[in-house]
Amino acid sequence: MTQGHRDKLEAVCAEFSELLSEAVTEESVRALAAKYLSKKGPLSEVMKSMKDLSGDERKSVGQAFNKAKGQIDTEVAAKLQSFAEEKRKAYLNRWIDVTVPGRQQATGALHLLTQVQKECVDIFRGLGFGMATGPQIETDFHSFEALAIPKNHPARDMQDTFYLGDEMVLRPHTSPVQIRTMQSQEPPIAIIAPGVVYRRDDDPTHSPMFMQIEGLWVDKVVRFSDLKGVLWHFVNTFFGKSLEIRFRPSYFPFVEPGAEVDMQCSFCDGAGCGVCKGTGWVEIGGAGMVDPAVFANVNVDSEAWTGFAFGMGIERMAMLKYGVNDIKYYYEGDLRFLRQFS
Ligand code: DAH
């Protein structure tokens, strides 16, 4: 009887060895071991009939069982060890081409326009102007009405606006931020408001989306000469050299008097070149004294307060400082262009 048990145990072990030799993955080895050693596995199956044996017989079969289990454990460990060994060898023998160039890690950088915007803001901040922002989807009121540009006013033609229904627009300039600021803050006010604006324009010098920077100073005594002084300081600091500015009388509904602001061409220092079309001057924006009608629209007493406002194009400032001759370069996302400014 006991011999029968021992034979069976040996047969199970032999069967296990056979299957183990065919296993080629670690998972299949573990699965096979789990199956043979489990409580319902073939080894335990043999032991079920042990209860019919005498004490001595049981002892000897028990030893045979433990031996069989031990054998399976040992074989499994050896097999797993051989897999590990194979892996290690493969790793040590792997072929490394030390001449392959390493992987380049690209370093990100601020977009040129973001850099220029920041440069501009920092200069005005240095003069005491604070940052202000407003929404890009703006009301007709903030974009036009409050700035003394009523519906049907010819000045609305100056901006080819994207309308989003009757009352909302994609703001065509940053001037609405003036209105929002005066609605929410009591004077004195000194703010600089950079931001994205939209117009129905598309050619080498115009993009349907571009950036402006708006300035507003409202105080007891703000003079036209303060406006000129502030813009002069800005131009000289931004370009890092001495350049004159000049005002040409112009019309913007929300300022009176209004002016177009020119600066001496930064390319030829005013001598005349292709960029300034030989004139020595380039236009950089619009400016003027806040019109009393605008003050009235935001409940600021124009007898007590005075102010100036200006607006400039950021792409234009970037073009003049860095020589970018087509506005599309800013928005194409071509890394060969962008990397020159990182
Ligand atoms: N908003 C004007 C535009 O986009 C620019 C401008 C002109 C802004 C005169 C001003 C200003 O603040 O006083 O064309």
Side-chain angles (χ1 to χ4, degrees), residues 15 33 68-69 72 141 160 190 208 291-293 329:
E15 184 184 281
K69 245 179 90 175
I72 287 182
F141 174 78
D160 266 326
D291 194 301
Y329 288 128

Side-chain angles (χ1 to χ4, degrees), residues 188-209:
I189 291 170
I191 54 117
I192 191 82
V196 172
V197 299
Y198 303 86
R199 285 185 207 174
R200 302 181 47 163
D201 254 343
D202 205 358
D203 63 48
T205 52
H206 295 93
S207 146
M209 184 194 86

Side-chain angles (χ1 to χ4, degrees), residues 18-31:
E18 175 82 32
L19 291 173
L20 186 68
S21 69
E22 286 161 14
V24 287
T25 65
E26 209 177 303
E27 295 82 66
S28 56
V29 168
R30 290 190 194 283

